[in-house]
Amino acid sequence: MRFWIIRAACGLALAAACAAPALAQSDDPLAFDPDAEGETSLSWFSDLLIRGDYARDLPLNLPDERRGLARMRAGLRWLPDDAWELGAAIEGSRGSDSAQVVRLAHDNQRINDLNVDLLYARWRGEHTALILGKHPLPLELTPMVWDHELRPVGLSIEHGIPTGDFDRFVLSGGAWLGDHLYGDTSRILALQAGWRLREGAETGGGVLLSLIDFDDLERITSSGLARSNRRIGNRLVSDFQLLDLQLYFDTQLAGQPLRSRINVVRNLGADDQRDGARASMAWGDARIAQAWELGLAYQRVQRDAVMTAFNSEDWWFHSAMRGAGPWVGYGFDDTWRIQLALFLERADGRTVDTERALLDLRARW
């Protein structure tokens, strides 16, 4: 059964966006304000990740994991006028693993590789943005549902409607090619509606409701990226048509931001084993110089609740699991920060927890 509701809603959203006079405020890390002091129409950006990955008590009698990775992204952004933005970036990585280990570790990106990471055009108006090309998904989703490092290819729309001095209704959606590993031919349709209350204030919150349809998953399944989703041979047992609800609340505690979020998801394309839930809380922000960040996430994901080719690679198990993930980070300055994240996970049917630690050194210029 095709997710015709999403298709119709995306069509309506496209028509509304094209008729609107105009860019909603964006949390996209690539967002760029052409009127900001000191900005130029042509600029470059880059970021670096150096990671140590340690895991033990893995399933299938796999050996303990001890891996290293360095990943660098660099690109250019051009604003020919106030409405248009063009961007492109390449990404290179170097790791200690073979391609087979990358598959076993459920990674979402190649290692020892150079690839196009971004290639897009964005048009912005007063309340609306259109983005065409290879770009981060414009929907705000948790790691249980989507890995923010993935870059699908397609057309997306963002539209914001002010409902008060600090409140805003937001609508995002689009259609993309998954453009994952190993010749992926998947297609994604999605629509997200949200109401953001007291946006930009010290205390605020909101609700986000998303519909996400994954289609043409045969290549992903045959290449092993479907991971813990149920399948018979190379055929998935369930379709993946996700209904995702998020509630969030942001405030201040001891002069630092305190962010909390609850996320529940149901796969409408599955008959059973179709639900997932995640709760997280974080205090502080390690992206700020000389600031600490402490966080904790817990999630329970049934086997076919999410499409496991596309959710976060930081968790060793992508579904059929439950686990907790505390982390601590520190920002050395406006460029460098470090984070240690621990994952205590138990796969369904196992009596032993898998333990994982990720030590990340990050920089952004």
Side-chain angles (χ1 to χ4, degrees), residues 183-204:
D184 167 37
T185 58
S186 65
R187 295 182 295 170
I188 304 169
L189 285 173
L191 179 67
Q192 182 176 79
W195 191 22
R196 302 184 183 275
L197 304 175
R198 294 185 57 80
E199 189 173 34
E202 288 189 355
T203 298

Side-chain angles (χ1 to χ4, degrees), residues 185-232:
T185 58
S186 65
R187 295 182 295 170
I188 304 169
L189 285 173
L191 179 67
Q192 182 176 79
W195 191 22
R196 302 184 183 275
L197 304 175
R198 294 185 57 80
E199 189 173 34
E202 288 189 355
T203 298
V207 57
L208 297 168
L209 182 65
S210 308
L211 296 169
I212 312 167
D213 181 28
F214 296 92
D215 199 3
D216 288 348
L217 298 171
E218 293 81 7
R219 184 69 64 86
I220 272 190
T221 306
S222 63
S223 65
L225 284 174
R227 295 155 178 158
S228 49
N229 292 139
R230 290 178 295 180
R231 56 190 181 275
I232 300 174

Side-chain angles (χ1 to χ4, degrees), residues 1 16 21 33 37-38 49 51 61 68 81 90 112 121 126 143 148 152 161 178 229 266 278 286 310 326 350 360:
M1 181 183 67
D33 182 2
E37 183 179 355
L49 167 66
R51 166 171 288 185
N61 295 317
D81 55 39
I90 58 173
N112 304 326
E126 183 181 358
H148 72 278
I161 304 172
N229 292 139
R266 167 163 287 189
R278 174 186 167 97
F310 291 96
R350 297 192 82 210
D360 292 348

Side-chain angles (χ1 to χ4, degrees), residues 163-348:
T163 58
D165 291 340
F166 299 99
D167 304 337
R168 189 165 61 104
F169 177 79
V170 293
L171 184 67
S172 302
W176 304 269
L177 301 175
D179 197 35
H180 209 315
L181 302 175
Y182 317 125
D184 167 37
T185 58
S186 65
R187 295 182 295 170
I188 304 169
L189 285 173
L191 179 67
Q192 182 176 79
W195 191 22
R196 302 184 183 275
L197 304 175
R198 294 185 57 80
E199 189 173 34
E202 288 189 355
T203 298
V207 57
L208 297 168
L209 182 65
S210 308
L211 296 169
I212 312 167
D213 181 28
F214 296 92
D215 199 3
D216 288 348
L217 298 171
E218 293 81 7
R219 184 69 64 86
I220 272 190
T221 306
S222 63
S223 65
L225 284 174
R227 295 155 178 158
S228 49
N229 292 139
R230 290 178 295 180
R231 56 190 181 275
I232 300 174
N234 287 330
R235 184 177 64 85
L236 291 165
V237 171
S238 303
D239 295 330
F240 286 87
Q241 301 158 353
L242 310 186
L243 177 63
D244 183 82
L245 175 65
Q246 299 174 66
L247 303 174
Y248 69 91
F249 177 73
D250 300 334
T251 188
Q252 294 279 318
L253 178 64
Q256 297 295 323
L258 179 65
R259 307 175 300 279
S260 56
R261 186 179 297 265
I262 296 175
N263 180 203
V264 292
V265 63
R266 167 163 287 189
N267 180 9
L268 303 180
D271 295 329
D272 58 0
Q273 299 189 47
R274 59 183 183 170
D275 295 323
R278 174 186 167 97
S280 65
M281 181 172 289
W283 174 81
D285 190 345
R287 294 172 299 181
I288 300 173
Q290 300 181 7
W292 288 93
E293 180 176 326
L294 303 174
L296 175 64
Y298 177 85
Q299 60 185 42
R300 169 69 175 115
V301 189
Q302 293 184 321
R303 187 169 296 277
D304 281 357
V306 296
M307 203 317 101
T308 56
F310 291 96
N311 62 352
S312 175
E313 65 180 12
D314 291 349
W315 293 80
W316 210 93
F317 297 106
H318 288 236
S319 74
M321 59 79 68
R322 67 195 72 201
W327 73 89
V328 57
Y330 180 74
F332 296 107
D333 52 34
D334 292 335
T335 299
W336 293 92
R337 59 189 171 101
I338 192 169
Q339 177 177 287
L340 174 63
L342 305 177
F343 300 87
L344 306 175
E345 311 173 44
R346 180 169 297 188
D348 291 354

Side-chain angles (χ1 to χ4, degrees), residues 3 23 41 118 199 277 312:
F3 217 177
L23 170 69
S41 61
L118 296 166
E199 189 173 34
S312 175

Side-chain angles (χ1 to χ4, degrees), residues 86-146:
L86 306 176
I90 58 173
E91 179 185 64
S93 64
R94 183 69 178 174
S96 60
D97 298 329
S98 65
Q100 180 61 26
V101 173
V102 168
R103 284 178 181 257
L104 290 174
H106 294 173
D107 287 353
N108 283 336
Q109 293 182 295
R110 295 182 180 89
I111 61 167
N112 304 326
D113 188 35
L114 183 67
N115 62 277
V116 175
D117 184 67
L118 296 166
L119 186 61
Y120 68 91
R122 172 158 47 190
W123 174 85
R124 344 186 208 199
E126 183 181 358
H127 297 294
T128 303
L130 301 178
I131 310 173
L132 176 65
K134 188 176 178 64
H135 194 272
L137 200 71
L139 279 65
E140 184 176 336
L141 299 168
T142 72
M144 179 176 68
V145 175
W146 183 262

